[in-house]
Amino acid sequence: MTLALKRLSRHFPDIAALDDVSLDIAPGEFVALVGPSGSGKTTLLRILAGLDYPDEGSVTQNGQDFLAASARERNVGLVFQHYALFGHLTVRENVAFGLRVRPRRRRPSRDQIRVRVDELLKRVQLAELGNRYPSQLSGGQRQRVALARALAVEPDVLLLDEPFGALDAQVRTALRRWLRELHEELGLTTVFVTHDQEEALELADRIVVMNKGRIEQVGRPHEVYKDPETPFVCEFIGRTNRIALERRANTWGAGSWSLPAGASGGLFHSAVGYVRPEHLSLSVPEGQPAWEARLRHVYLAGSIAHLDIYVADIDQTLEVDVASEDLGRGALTPGAVLRVAPTRLVTFPLGDGPAGAPVLGERWIMRGPNSTS
Amino acid sequence: MTAGRPGRPASAMRRLGRASIIVASILFLCLFLVVPLASVFVEAFRQGAHAFVESIDQPEAMAAIRLTLLVAVITVPLNVVFGLAAAWAMTRFQFRGKALLGALIDLPLSVSPVVSGLLYVLMFGAQGWFGPWLATHGVKIIFAVPGLVLATIFITLPFVARELIPLMQAQGSEEEEVARVLGASGLQTFFRVTLPNIRWALLYGVLLCNARAMGEFGAVSVVSGHIRGLTTTMPLEVEMRYNEYNYVGAFAIASLLALLALLTLALKSALEWRYQAAENHR
């Protein structure tokens, strides 16, 4: 059941919601569409659901025209951020809705519907709440009802629009894991939209990073995290430090820190480097190039700690992550002076024009001498 | 009561101010609303229950009541259909001229009812645009029942639509979209999802629409021609009797209209209460 999206464009009066988007979705795949609001991810989902249509492009399902089928005929499951449960129906009636509205000859009997609803309620762990109304449920329970309702019609594709957006943090994490397990159990092709990159990284087989109606990068979560292909992906996926680099004879550097340029970026004079918080070494030996930095704050976040360090040399505050247990070892208390250097940078050269826009397609990864990755 | 709350000392001045505002508004309501309303019933029964019954149990009074009901029975369903269609169009579709449609829906509220009546005379009256053509085909609209119905429809046009539009706007279309994706047809979506969501607001609109349809005076007065037993609705009958110094008769019918108003008010409060409950239920 491969879904092939080819060259989709959708224009609204003031913006291009989708601009030449192509994507293949394999059977059973769990795909996350991730991007800021206005990036076109929801438009893409609505097109798959049959609630919107592209101005150009095609969607095929095993070679068949998917767009020719109306929303009713597509056999997809849809879950919205705010659940969109039918408030005047009980949980059971909500779940049964998609079966009850079928034309008579395709409609299961009352008993079959009852059995199916029981089964689904058990699956979403709401077996006891079938006779409640949606208003009597918590957010997490409502979203599970919405999911059961979508699964009741045995869809070929499950579409989720910010499914955890309205839930509080703990419920969200629990529901995420649960959804992932459910997916592994059912093997249903699932496309979900989120603006939360962490959620996308955690859940998806493959993530599609979108920005301004275009796809910036498609890949497995760890690939996208490790090798972001564009500056946008660097900044949007995970946390990062953005450092302006300049070319000096045979090195690239910023302030008192530099790395041998080697063969990389010979043509360019300036570049921007992205450094993940875990790719900053805090104890660079004397004699190797490094910045002198002052530790400003330590934010303990469970197993890891986020540090804010200020580098006077480049007048920038950088984020560093260390394992919490390393905190004591290096005398990492606010005010401490550290020798800091990036161990891994994703670098994009800048053009020579006044605007200094990144040069498309040019990118290299630089590693420091004490890099381990 | 906020008197005991910390940080807000209860001052005598503030309490006095609050009391005087409450008393003033109650006095005002009594003077301008309750007393006149009560006087309608007092006047109607001034010569006893027998005179009251007698003044209603007359052919022209019964005809006025029948006509008023007829006008309401035709007007209200038409306005329900129009109100639903207009609210649907305003909240579910994007189209050119949407703002204009919104303004037009409100138009009858801003035009004086007498002017609305005159508009119909201007169109369908003997000297009107379509008057001669209608006359040659033997169709009578002005000074006849069709005119009364048309004028009432015009006046009551906004009531249902204005109740539905803000609600449907707030509810959005996600539930309907989910229903469609689940395989429901357009009609199934309307009857199983949309209608249950708007039923209280719709009922509320129908109630207001009905009250106005039965109570309208200005517009129907212009198109009626005041033909007793044929084109006088209850409000018109009240005026005619009053002009004939038949005070008991006038107030008897007026008291029926007042009763309708009170009934509407009671139902409206009940609906509002139910509506609130339904809202909290969501």
Side-chain angles (χ1 to χ4, degrees), chain A residues 30 32 34 160-167 172-173 176 179 192-204 207 221:
Chain A
F30 200 141
V34 59
L160 312 167
D161 188 1
E162 299 269 4
F164 313 118
L167 305 171
R172 195 178 336 184
T173 313
R176 260 190 220 165
L179 181 67
F192 89 106
V193 157
T194 179
H195 67 272
D196 182 349
Q197 43 92 19
E198 245 178 73
E199 197 167 283
L201 290 174
E202 184 180 322
L203 269 175
I207 71 179

Side-chain angles (χ1 to χ4, degrees), chain A residues 22 27 29-30 35 40 56 92 96 108 116 122 199 210 221 232-234 253 256 258 275 298 315 342 353 355 366:
Chain A
S22 297
E29 206 179 9
F30 200 141
E56 284 159 57
R92 296 191 64 88
R116 179 103 183 98
K122 201 176 290 171
E199 197 167 283
M210 297 190 65
F232 175 83
V233 177
C234 285
S256 56
S258 64
V275 187
V298 177
D315 188 27
M366 300 199 292

